[in-house]
Amino acid sequence: MTTSSRPLLLADALLVDPAAGTETRGGLLIRDGVIADTGPHLTAASVGPDVEVLACGGKVLAPGLVDMRCFVGEPGYEYRETIASGTAAAAAGGVTTIVCQPATDPVMDDPAIVDFLLRRARDTGIVHVHPMAAITKKLAGREMTEFGLLQEAGAVAFTDGARSVTDALVMRRAMTYARDFDALIVHHTEDPALVGEGVMNEGEFSSRLGLGGIPVEAETIMLERDMRLVKLTGARYHAASITCRDSLAIIARAKTEGLPVTASVTINHLTLNENDIGSYRTFCKMSPPLRTEDDRLALADAVADGTIDCIVSDHDPQDVETKRLPFAEAHPGAVGVETMLPAALRLVHAGLVSLPALFRALSTAPAALLGLPGGSLAVGEPADLVLVEIDEPWVLNRDTLRSKCKNSPFDEARLTGRVAATFVAGRKVFSLSA
């Protein structure tokens, strides 16, 4: 990825550095694609004529987002998303790094597929792209992939995407294997037997709608099993999508015991609840399902206190043919990489999460977890940045989304806060005013 040859000063911004936990009014100087200096002393008058100056007018300047759960359709599902369209959507959402899921066709269980994705990302992407490889071949949950070869090819972690590894022996072996390679296991914790024919959260609302319910135990039982296996193997483990209060207690207990466990929540589970399904809105059909308002508030508190480490978009484009169906038959999943930050700012405006805590979960924590650069405004870090007009009200029109598919649960939602510009290695890859 090329970088701008001329130094750039982003002047008069509110510098939010989640790594340092600070909010400072000042400027940030970019030179050769990295952060060269920051602080109140950097103004338009303090730099030479060779420096390009962008007046930020008090907008928030923070590290670019690192989204560790984002589906792009290459190879095999280009009609849903390509790297070009997916990274364009990411840039518009302030996301400077996406980590792709392995549920492609063919499945990303071979070093050649990882190499293909990285080459396509180099040629067509405008933000950083990294692959997660499969834990098991063809995501079938039976035979492990070659972690060492996949890691060598460029895989940053291992997951079976939206599928759980139900066989405890296979999972134990995978964790043991991962421990030996210091690899991260990212697991979707949902027991398919307990999910059964369920399509939404089990409770009074599912009964009223006449839809099959999925109990929280489908998640907690699998999560409890995994904690036992982490204790047995010592593997680094990340719960891909926590959705309920009961699971938070399990994660908190594991952390207290000193286990190498971390967890994510999707932006959908953090800002929506089961009632948003309303009159069978298929755009709100997710896997795992949206839970209760009590669960949602517990998840927000967990982001604030660090029990939840990361927020992910769970970007999962679905075309009209799979969404314009009766609720029970429609595919789960929603686009989200472009709307993740504006939706997450609802938590800040509601006083539930501070700005540094929010960006820590959106940027610093996932970068550190995956061993990727970024997530900080420190001097010497890559100039992967997002500029945000935090108080700007707007209404989302799904037709303006950059993704190939438009299945957004935030369609026509009133949002406050919008990405004004995104920089990758110091190069502007998105501007709202352009």
Side-chain angles (χ1 to χ4, degrees):
M1 189 171 290
T2 60
T3 58
S4 173
S5 57
R6 190 179 176 195
L8 171 66
L9 174 67
L10 302 174
D12 190 26
L14 179 62
L15 306 171
V16 177
D17 188 350
T22 57
E23 297 179 59
T24 311
R25 192 77 178 248
L28 184 147
L29 181 64
I30 301 170
R31 181 176 285 120
D32 297 328
V34 302
I35 299 171
D37 197 3
T38 65
H41 62 285
L42 286 172
T43 65
S46 70
V47 295
D50 62 317
V51 177
E52 180 183 355
V53 177
L54 174 63
C56 298
K59 295 183 180 69
V60 167
L61 184 63
L65 279 54
V66 178
D67 184 10
M68 59 185 293
R69 192 173 172 91
C70 182
F71 177 85
V72 295
E74 296 189 51
Y77 298 105
E78 288 83 356
Y79 65 95
R80 289 167 58 191
E81 197 77 286
T82 62
I83 290 173
S85 62
T87 57
V95 178
T96 53
T97 298
I98 61 172
V99 179
C100 300
Q101 295 297 289
T104 47
D105 184 16
V107 169
M108 203 166 300
D109 59 4
D110 187 289
I113 309 301
V114 172
D115 182 64
F116 168 82
L117 179 88
L118 291 175
R119 283 187 288 110
R120 287 289 296 165
R122 180 197 61 198
D123 294 341
T124 65
I126 61 171
V127 306
H128 304 295
V129 178
H130 298 278
M132 271 193 200
I135 297 172
T136 62
K137 293 182 179 178
K138 300 186 185 302
L139 308 178
R142 292 190 291 272
E143 186 180 357
M144 286 187 303
T145 57
E146 294 287 350
F147 284 15
L149 294 177
L150 289 162
Q151 206 172 38
E152 193 175 311
V156 296
F158 294 86
T159 182
D160 271 3
R163 296 189 185 183
S164 299
V165 179
T166 56
D167 188 312
L169 180 58
V170 172
M171 194 59 170
R172 178 187 179 180
R173 287 172 174 164
M175 285 191 188
T176 303
Y177 205 32
R179 179 200 62 201
D180 293 344
F181 285 97
D182 192 29
L184 180 69
I185 292 285
V186 181
H187 196 219
H188 180 86
T189 51
E190 201 172 33
D191 187 324
L194 277 173
V195 171
E197 300 298 320
V199 293
M200 68 171 291
N201 183 49
E202 182 175 282
E204 181 183 344
F205 196 49
S206 64
S207 298
R208 287 184 183 179
L209 293 179
L211 296 172
I214 302 172
V216 295
E217 285 76 9
E219 179 173 305
T220 56
I221 288 175
M222 182 69 76
L223 191 60
E224 288 274 19
R225 183 207 70 172
D226 285 356
M227 295 305 99
R228 300 284 181 137
L229 293 175
V230 171
K231 200 168 186 176
L232 187 64
T233 63
R236 291 199 296 133
Y237 175 93
H238 185 80
S241 176
I242 294 300
T243 68
C244 61
R245 184 181 288 276
D246 289 357
S247 290
L248 292 171
I250 298 169
I251 293 293
R253 188 171 66 245
K255 288 187 172 186
T256 301
E257 292 177 2
L259 299 180
V261 170
T262 50
S264 285
V265 60
T266 80
I267 189 60
N268 302 315
H269 294 90
L270 205 49
T271 56
L272 304 170
N273 65 37
E274 60 179 351
N275 296 305
D276 287 294
I277 291 172
S279 55
Y280 305 96
R281 289 185 68 213
T282 59
F283 283 6
C284 290
K285 183 176 180 180
M286 311 292 175
S287 176
L290 298 173
R291 300 293 186 185
T292 65
E293 177 64 3
D294 176 68
D295 288 317
R296 188 191 73 80
L297 292 173
L299 293 170
D301 289 343
V303 170
D305 68 22
T307 304
I308 290 284
D309 303 87
C310 308
I311 300 171
V312 297
S313 74
D314 199 19
H315 182 72
D316 188 8
Q318 300 288 344
D319 59 13
V320 174
E321 285 72 20
T322 59
K323 275 296 184 184
R324 295 291 186 192
L325 294 170
F327 192 90
E329 299 171 22
H331 283 209
V335 296
V337 71
E338 189 169 342
T339 53
M340 177 166 60
L341 181 54
L345 287 173
R346 283 180 169 180
L347 305 176
V348 174
H349 293 303
L352 296 174
V353 180
S354 68
L355 263 181
L358 185 72
F359 278 101
R360 184 179 65 229
L362 288 166
S363 180
T364 309
L369 193 61
L370 297 169
L372 299 174
S376 166
L377 296 186
V379 173
E381 289 289 326
D384 297 342
L385 304 164
V386 58
L387 189 65
V388 188
E389 177 55 82
I390 195 168
D391 293 319
E392 180 176 332
W394 60 295
V395 177
L396 177 71
N397 177 355
R398 63 190 174 95
D399 292 332
T400 64
L401 295 173
R402 274 76 175 173
S403 293
K404 280 196 167 186
C405 299
K406 311 297 181 185
N407 53 304
S408 171
F410 299 102
D411 183 25
E412 299 183 355
R414 292 175 172 82
L415 300 167
T416 303
R418 198 168 194 179
V419 174
T422 304
F423 301 85
V424 173
R427 186 169 62 93
K428 190 185 289 185
V429 294
F430 170 77
S431 175
L432 184 61
S433 59

